[in-house]
Amino acid sequence: MAAAGWYHRDISQVVVEELLAKAGRDGSFLVRDSESVKGAYALCLLFQRHVYTYRILPDDEGLLSVQTIQGIQTKCFRTLPELIGAYQHPNNGLVTPLLHPVHRPRPAEDSDGEDARGLGHTVPCPPSSRTHIPQQLHQRLQEQVHSSPASDFMGFMAEYLTHHVQDLQGLCHGHPQLRHLSTALATACRALHSEIDFTLAGLETLAKVFDPPLSPRSPAREQGFLSSDPDLELLLSKISTVNHLLSSLEKKVLKSLQETVTRHNLALPSVAMAPQPPARPLAMQNFEVKVGKSQRAALTVDVESGTVTVTKRGSGSLEEVIPHDKILQLIKYQSVQSKVRLVCARENQKSLSRDFIFPNARKREAFCQLLQLMKIQHSNLDEPEIISVYVGTWNMGSTPPPRSLASWLTSRGLGRTQDETTACIPHDIYVIGTQENSLGDHEWVEFLCASLKTLMAIDYRVVALQCLWSIKIVVLVKPEHQRRISHVHTSSVKTGIANTLGNKGAVGVSFLFNGTSFGFVNCHLASGSEKTHRRNQNYSDILHSLALGDKRLGGFDLTLRFTHLFWLGDLNYRLDMDVQDILTHIVKKEFQALLAVDQLNLEREKNKVFLRFSEGDISFPPTYRYERGTRDTYVWQKSKPTGMRINVPSWCDRVLWKSHPETHVVCNSYGCTDDIVTSDHSPVFATFEVGVTSQFVPKEAPGSSPEALACIEWESIEVILKTTSRSKCYIEFHSYCLEEMQRSGENTFQSCDIPGFLKLGWSSKHLPVLNPILPDLEYLGDQHLLLSIKGVESCESYGECCLALRSAIGSTAQQFETFLFHRGEETGSVRGWMRVRVPRGRCGTRERLYEWISFEEEDAEPAAEPPMCPKPPPQRLRSRPRSLPEPATGYTNPAYFIFEGVPNAWLPAPGESSKKQVEGPAGGQPCRSPAGPRVPLPSEEEQWCGRPHCGPPSPSRGHPLSPSRAGHHKRPKSAVLTRDTVGLGDCSLYVAPHLSQLDQVSPQGRGDRQEVPLRQTQQVLEPPPRPSRDVPKPLGKRGALGALDLEAQPPPPADLQPARM
């Protein structure tokens, strides 16, 4: 197997299609591991510019066979090469014989990327090629010298590479001893003997103090050391002794002390410990604010009593005391970062709004955080609805930490930090990720717990500890939350040399907090400015191999398995700029210029890594590479035997996150410390406010009344895949609100007219009606659906996505549109129409604790009364990292959703009055107007138990009360439609201005369907210009999604069609 160049192991479908496209010849093929069946393979074959995938399955006896079309006799083979050889002949059920194998691309970057699994190939080299091997290996060794921390060792290897042909000749003649390699290794490791002898002598001396008769060095070993054994064997023996001593010394010392206590009848005196203070109540906090144009006032927040006191300066008299239950809404202005509006209830049932301006944004955030804490403490809820999560990452540089980690654990230092009034408020969950951590596992955990106990007076509980060599992640939780944690999973992935060494890699932890799933990944990626591609590959390997979360969701992209996924660590991405220019920008604090050349941001721009992740604004200097002992100097030069190596200052240490759509997550701080100087990296912290759900308990017990089921209905689904396959597909539906996975029928519409893209469509008749296990509105509003698009022949996923049910609740179908992901790559887009029907009597809901805080962009006049359903903020659609300026264009795949040219149903008829824009589509169904959420008809309000339909927000806008761009569910960058970003709550679709120039063709009636012709022009395939910020004219029709041509195209001839499952 190792010798088969056409076997590519575990690569993705996207990589397969890229390799076959480069080959370009009919009959080109390769084999990869199957993603759907363990131990199976996928045979990928190129024919007429399309990729056909066949499954190779093992039977009970281990024999392999290809699943082909019916009528072809199944052939079984013992080995994969035998199978491939047999199918190189025609008439075996494949679309074409296997003619041209596509070999694995040779690693081109670094030793970390060397694929050691293929080193077992022992086919003799032709004499003509032997002379080229030393030269090739020397060149590869030279590439590694610049990046390897053991470059001195590489000198010994250079000589071996010159003479390694002698070992190769011996191997070809049946002598596998590799004598010349053993000699070279013994020479290179000679200096290690003295170091080990010194360490070994000290450890043995210490061991003899506690256990003289049982010295590890026995007389036999003394003789062994003096014998003429080979040097390598002696070195291994010494290392084994060191390992034995280190692992047994603690037990010996403990046993000796215990025997001493027992023998002399001693009682160990208890260590005088200072009594731990009880949980400290929060003191009253005062804030200086400005009211109106010039009036000064003081705000006093008393969390314990639940009051806010407003006192005017100058008069000294108490103006007003506002209890917590009278505070209806807190509005934070985005345009003025230091301004806040407090909406309070009065006895006459009319609300009173007051605006306060704080000295800076940090003071405003501290005030809001205290009010949020006050609401939580006085809510009298059995289960929390909002928790605070601390995430920290630090490359410790293989040195012990300082005595105090106070600044790191309390988010103080540089960047967006916590105000001193709220810095010591304990978080509910602490997640600490470290790299190059030389402390023992338990020693590190005890140190963290002791540090938090000193700072917060809380004895935090350990949820999980996962380690991979010096990479560690620790999750700590408040004692009262320990019972709410369940389904804890841990995992690790090695991405070092040949993916077998753990010096680089990742560790992860996942768990459920009541009904909300969390995932945390701490990684240490490949180092070096030139190794961007290797870091991208590390990320991909971690995504695919990290086994976290529900096993039933193992087929989904890791980033979709959790409600909230946080990714932290030393990502090692550097700045692509001259070091002197970088230092100049740092001195001037011109971080935006540096962020524009940050490799992580650039790779995210290319959709190579961290698709649809979010990151807080970076307003702190690069965290690497400092001179140890100070934070005033960057050390960017490192002397190596091969020359001077440059390590430019960079933001290597990062925290990113990705959440399900329409969930609540707010980043409150993101920065680094400036007083922890033991490492060349500065510790980085980020804190989050996260909405969580509890295990829902219905008010009516099941069976107490005739059950009225809720249902999830689909009108149509359209998928665009970036693939050269012609496979028929089906959709799998997964959700915690469903008893089991549901599956659709095969797609009823298919088109591959644009090269490289496959368009699929499903009508309502071929989509299942889903019945959630509970019909309550409050329960369904927190649920999500995971969709997976799978090929009928291969049963492997082409892409997955997540949809929120909240927006679709109602009597009329709502449109959804989102990306498809697979193994960290964007593989397409999906859109359609769905509705979630909730039975009458199950529509009760309540306001969440985090819903009383809203965000406003404009300083508008307040309404007379607080709205029943707060409006979501106007948001710009972002595709770039938040710390970067917007590009000139934001499109990547312009072929998405333009197969049909301009949908006629989305354009008003010629001469149609613009006044009809608020009219609904056919059937009298209303649609949303651009001015705000649509107003339901009376029949709808009746089905919604008399409630106006203003609750569910737009599916692409995140939670209505989340801040701008937080938890934002972006639409595909390549989609040629744009949303009205001015009207609040509007999710109507409009055609971008540049599409108005395309031809319009009158639809041809086919019953209740419309056929929209495809307009294949170069103009369509070119990336369109950036849409205007002006409000586009709205459209009066729903669009082509409700009018898909659902007639299946005729299949290819039977002998050219892959077999179906």
Side-chain angles (χ1 to χ4, degrees):
M1 176 62 65
W6 38 258
Y7 174 53
H8 291 244
R9 302 183 181 89
D10 184 27
I11 62 174
S12 67
Q13 180 71 18
V14 174
V15 177
V16 166
E17 295 186 4
E18 289 177 354
L19 293 175
L20 291 177
K22 290 180 180 179
R25 294 188 291 178
D26 286 352
S28 299
F29 72 94
L30 59 84
V31 177
R32 62 179 176 88
D33 293 333
S34 172
E35 297 179 0
S36 56
V37 179
K38 187 176 182 180
Y41 305 96
L43 172 61
C44 304
L45 178 60
L46 182 67
F47 181 66
Q48 295 181 356
R49 297 189 302 174
H50 293 278
V51 175
Y52 295 84
T53 303
Y54 304 87
R55 285 204 297 179
I56 302 175
L57 299 176
D59 59 13
D60 296 337
E61 299 179 359
L63 299 178
L64 301 174
S65 61
V66 177
Q67 284 193 331
T68 55
I69 63 173
Q70 296 180 359
I72 300 296
Q73 183 179 0
T74 302
K75 300 178 182 180
C76 297
F77 304 88
R78 294 190 177 277
T79 65
L80 197 54
E82 291 179 8
L83 183 149
I84 296 300
Y87 280 91
Q88 291 177 349
H89 305 287
N91 303 322
N92 278 316
L94 306 183
V95 293
T96 184
L98 306 181
L99 301 178
H100 312 292
V102 178
H103 295 278
R104 294 189 301 272
R106 180 178 176 178
E109 268 213 50
D110 60 279
S111 57
D112 287 349
E114 187 75 26
D115 197 343
R117 289 174 290 184
L119 298 180
H121 186 33
T122 60
V123 177
C125 299
S128 61
S129 65
R130 291 179 182 176
T131 57
H132 300 287
I133 295 179
Q135 182 179 358
Q136 295 172 357
L137 294 179
H138 271 290
Q139 182 179 357
R140 292 170 63 182
L141 178 66
Q142 190 66 25
E143 294 173 358
Q144 314 314 320
V145 168
H146 298 285
S147 60
S148 173
S151 56
D152 295 337
F153 184 85
M154 297 299 178
F156 296 101
M157 293 295 97
E159 184 179 358
Y160 169 71
L161 294 181
T162 305
H163 305 288
H164 87 289
V165 177
Q166 300 175 12
D167 275 344
L168 182 61
Q169 292 174 345
L171 190 63
C172 294
H173 291 86
H175 303 289
Q177 287 79 15
L178 303 180
R179 297 174 183 175
H180 294 277
L181 176 62
S182 299
T183 302
L185 289 176
T187 304
C189 298
R190 188 173 297 161
L192 190 58
H193 280 278
S194 59
E195 295 292 337
I196 291 184
D197 286 341
F198 177 80
T199 304
L200 189 60
L203 291 175
E204 288 182 340
T205 301
L206 184 60
K208 290 177 181 179
V209 172
F210 293 96
D211 197 2
L214 298 178
S215 174
R217 177 175 287 186
S218 61
R221 293 191 61 83
E222 295 285 353
Q223 296 176 3
F225 287 163
L226 298 176
S227 65
S228 58
D229 290 338
D231 287 344
L232 283 180
E233 190 173 326
L234 177 61
L235 182 62
L236 293 174
S237 178
K238 291 180 180 181
I239 293 176
S240 176
T241 303
V242 172
N243 181 53
H244 170 74
L245 284 172
L246 290 175
S247 60
S248 62
L249 190 56
E250 183 179 357
K251 296 179 181 178
K252 288 185 177 184
V253 174
L254 179 61
K255 182 178 179 180
S256 176
L257 291 176
Q258 291 174 340
E259 290 177 352
T260 302
V261 172
T262 304
R263 187 183 307 117
H264 299 282
N265 196 23
L266 298 176
L268 293 176
S270 58
V271 179
M273 297 288 293
Q276 293 292 337
R280 296 185 289 266
L282 286 173
M284 291 187 295
Q285 302 292 340
N286 295 314
F287 297 90
E288 296 291 333
V289 296
K290 185 170 69 172
V291 182
K293 295 183 178 181
S294 59
Q295 179 66 51
R296 298 285 178 176
L299 294 179
T300 303
V301 181
D302 189 345
V303 174
E304 300 302 322
S305 64
T307 59
V308 176
T309 304
V310 182
T311 306
K312 288 185 177 181
R313 289 301 185 193
S315 62
S317 59
L318 192 67
E319 180 188 346
E320 186 178 5
V321 177
I322 308 173
H324 67 88
D325 55 348
K326 297 295 184 182
I327 302 177
L328 302 179
Q329 194 175 21
L330 185 65
I331 302 175
K332 298 163 67 174
Y333 287 94
Q334 300 292 355
S335 55
V336 183
Q337 293 291 321
S338 59
K339 185 176 180 180
V340 70
R341 172 171 293 171
L342 210 59
V343 182
C344 305
R346 296 189 297 181
E347 295 182 357
N348 57 3
Q349 298 183 351
K350 289 186 177 181
S351 62
L352 174 66
S353 299
R354 312 221 17 208
D355 290 345
F356 303 101
I357 299 178
F358 291 79
N360 51 57
R362 182 182 300 178
K363 290 294 182 181
R364 186 192 75 167
E365 293 304 314
F367 173 77
C368 296
Q369 187 175 352
L370 288 173
L371 259 63
Q372 183 76 279
L373 185 62
M374 181 174 67
K375 281 280 191 180
I376 294 174
Q377 288 192 7
H378 295 275
S379 63
N380 298 322
L381 292 175
D382 295 332
E383 297 296 330
E385 293 181 342
I386 187 171
I387 62 174
S388 59
V389 178
Y390 172 95
V391 178
T393 177
W394 182 26
N395 186 320
M396 299 174 63
S398 301
T399 57
R403 292 184 178 181
S404 173
L405 299 177
S407 60
W408 187 30
L409 298 176
T410 56
S411 305
R412 288 184 286 186
L414 304 175
R416 186 182 178 189
T417 61
Q418 296 277 46
D419 188 71
E420 61 272 10
T421 58
T422 58
C424 287
I425 296 178
H427 298 280
D428 296 287
I429 297 176
Y430 283 84
V431 181
I432 311 294
T434 53
Q435 310 84 38
E436 298 185 19
N437 186 340
S438 60
L439 270 64
D441 300 347
H442 297 290
E443 180 184 5
W444 174 240
V445 172
E446 291 175 358
F447 179 70
L448 288 177
C449 291
S451 299
L452 287 175
K453 194 168 186 177
T454 301
L455 293 170
M456 310 297 178
I458 296 177
D459 190 7
Y460 279 82
R461 303 289 192 262
V462 179
V463 173
L465 164 67
Q466 180 67 12
C467 304
L468 175 67
W469 291 23
S470 61
I471 308 173
K472 309 180 192 295
I473 187 171
V474 182
V475 179
L476 306 173
V477 68
K478 281 183 176 180
E480 60 264 30
H481 294 322
Q482 191 172 19
R483 64 177 179 83
R484 300 183 173 102
I485 303 291
S486 65
H487 298 80
V488 180
H489 296 93
T490 59
S491 181
S492 63
V493 175
K494 299 175 182 177
T495 63
I497 297 177
N499 286 351
T500 59
L501 297 184
N503 61 319
K504 296 293 189 292
V507 291
V509 175
S510 65
F511 56 85
L512 283 178
F513 187 100
N514 282 343
T516 302
S517 57
F518 284 88
F520 299 92
V521 179
N522 171 34
C523 70
H524 192 185
L525 306 185
S527 61
S529 296
E530 72 283 0
K531 295 186 182 173
T532 303
H533 176 75
R534 180 60 185 165
R535 283 187 282 273
N536 295 350
Q537 186 60 47
N538 288 164
Y539 169 78
S540 178
D541 293 339
I542 293 168
L543 267 185
H544 182 61
S545 303
L546 207 59
L548 294 175
D550 193 336
K551 293 182 179 179
R552 294 173 296 179
L553 302 178
F556 282 86
D557 193 295
L558 180 69
T559 63
L560 295 175
R561 297 180 202 169
F562 309 102
T563 312
H564 304 286
L565 174 64
F566 296 87
W567 198 296
L568 56 141
D570 182 0
L571 275 58
N572 254 325
Y573 287 93
R574 308 301 172 89
L575 297 178
D576 286 334
M577 184 182 286
D578 180 76
V579 63
Q580 294 299 333
D581 294 335
I582 293 175
L583 295 174
T584 301
H585 285 301
I586 292 176
V587 171
K588 297 180 180 180
K589 296 183 178 181
E590 297 172 345
F591 298 143
Q592 290 299 319
L594 298 179
L595 290 167
V597 296
D598 175 73
Q599 289 178 350
L600 177 58
N601 287 345
L602 295 175
E603 293 305 296
R604 290 177 63 195
E605 276 296 293
K606 302 172 187 175
N607 284 343
K608 296 292 184 65
V609 292
F610 294 101
L611 287 173
R612 312 307 153 194
F613 273 76
S614 300
E615 184 180 20
D617 291 329
I618 295 180
S619 56
F620 50 93
T623 56
Y624 173 83
R625 180 177 185 253
Y626 281 106
E627 180 181 359
R628 296 174 189 255
T630 180
R631 295 295 92 153
D632 298 328
T633 306
Y634 287 97
V635 181
W636 49 272
Q637 290 181 323
K638 186 176 182 180
S639 179
K640 305 279 287 186
T642 56
M644 191 66 66
R645 178 174 177 81
I646 304 299
N647 290 306
V648 300
S650 301
W651 284 285
C652 293
D653 313 282
R654 312 286 273 266
V655 177
L656 301 96
W657 75 95
K658 183 178 181 180
S659 299
H660 280 351
E662 300 184 41
T663 54
H664 180 79
V665 55
V666 180
C667 181
N668 287 325
S669 65
Y670 189 32
C672 68
T673 64
D674 57 357
D675 60 349
I676 297 179
V677 297
T678 55
S679 171
D680 52 1
H681 291 253
S682 287
V684 170
F685 52 80
T687 59
F688 299 89
E689 177 186 286
V690 183
V692 294
T693 60
S694 59
Q695 300 291 348
F696 184 77
V697 178
K699 297 179 180 179
E700 297 182 15
S704 59
S705 61
E707 287 294 324
L709 297 178
C711 62
I712 304 171
E713 301 173 342
W714 311 87
E715 288 192 0
S716 62
I717 293 180
E718 183 184 57
V719 171
I720 304 292
L721 296 176
K722 187 179 180 182
T723 179
T724 56
S725 172
R726 290 194 200 179
S727 175
K728 285 272 190 175
C729 293
Y730 63 91
I731 305 177
E732 286 186 355
F733 301 87
H734 297 253
S735 178
Y736 288 113
C737 70
L738 302 177
E739 290 186 359
E740 59 184 7
M741 180 270 295
Q742 299 291 324
R743 173 175 166 171
S744 75
E746 295 182 11
N747 57 283
T748 53
F749 169 83
Q750 187 162 328
S751 172
C752 53
D753 295 322
I754 293 185
F757 292 89
L758 177 64
K759 176 181 176 182
L760 306 170
W762 284 262
S763 66
S764 58
K765 295 181 180 179
H766 295 79
L767 295 169
V769 176
L770 309 177
N771 295 117
I773 55 179
L774 293 175
D776 299 78
L777 173 63
E778 183 179 339
Y779 168 77
L780 294 175
D782 293 326
Q783 302 303 310
H784 294 81
L785 279 177
L786 294 180
L787 277 62
S788 177
I789 316 299
K790 291 192 172 183
V792 173
E793 294 85 13
S794 63
C795 295
E796 296 191 358
S797 176
Y798 284 93
E800 307 95 43
C801 70
C802 178
L803 302 177
L805 297 187
R806 180 184 305 228
S807 299
I809 297 176
S811 59
T812 58
Q814 302 294 318
Q815 189 186 38
F816 65 88
E817 178 183 344
T818 186
F819 295 92
L820 290 173
F821 302 95
H822 187 61
R823 295 181 63 164
E825 298 176 278
E826 180 185 329
T827 59
S829 299
V830 58
R831 65 179 181 180
W833 293 83
M834 65 179 293
R835 59 174 164 266
V836 180
R837 295 184 180 272
V838 179
R840 186 183 181 94
R842 295 300 185 102
C843 296
T845 185
R846 58 184 174 81
E847 186 181 53
R848 303 300 172 90
L849 280 177
Y850 51 80
E851 291 180 346
W852 71 286
I853 298 181
S854 63
F855 297 81
E856 292 291 342
E857 187 73 26
E858 301 295 336
D859 189 7
E861 291 297 325
E865 295 184 6
M868 295 177 58
C869 300
K871 296 181 179 180
Q875 297 186 12
R876 293 165 51 195
L877 304 175
R878 296 191 74 95
S879 60
R880 290 174 64 85
R882 297 180 58 193
S883 53
L884 293 183
E886 290 291 341
T889 181
Y891 295 89
T892 53
N893 297 323
Y896 286 7
F897 297 136
I898 59 173
F899 279 75
E900 67 277 9
V902 180
N904 291 271
W906 293 347
L907 295 174
E912 184 179 359
S913 173
S914 59
K915 295 180 180 180
K916 294 185 178 182
Q917 64 187 28
V918 297
E919 294 180 2
Q925 295 175 344
C927 67
R928 299 186 182 185
S929 65
R934 67 173 178 83
V935 180
L937 295 176
S939 59
E940 291 183 55
E941 296 188 11
E942 187 175 338
Q943 295 186 37
W944 270 70
C945 314
R947 292 175 62 249
H949 186 164
C950 61
S954 168
S956 65
R957 298 187 182 274
H959 194 277
L961 301 176
S962 299
S964 179
R965 299 184 299 273
H968 182 40
H969 185 59
K970 308 175 186 66
R971 63 183 287 113
K973 293 194 297 182
S974 54
V976 297
L977 304 177
T978 182
R979 297 186 186 277
D980 175 19
T981 58
V982 177
L984 300 180
D986 180 38
C987 68
S988 303
L989 288 173
Y990 308 104
V991 176
H994 64 275
L995 287 180
S996 61
Q997 303 172 1
L998 299 181
D999 297 336
Q1000 302 180 26
V1001 182
S1002 301
Q1004 301 294 332
R1006 284 191 182 180
D1008 59 347
R1009 299 189 299 268
Q1010 292 181 355
E1011 181 184 14
V1012 183
L1014 170 67
R1015 186 177 188 268
Q1016 299 185 41
T1017 64
Q1018 184 64 25
Q1019 178 184 0
V1020 174
L1021 293 177
E1022 292 177 352
R1026 182 176 180 84
S1028 171
R1029 293 180 181 270
D1030 297 335
V1031 183
K1033 295 182 180 181
L1035 304 171
K1037 298 291 185 179
R1038 173 174 300 171
L1041 286 178
L1044 288 176
D1045 185 358
L1046 301 176
E1047 293 184 1
Q1049 293 184 344
D1055 59 341
L1056 300 181
Q1057 187 177 10
R1060 299 179 182 175
M1061 292 301 297

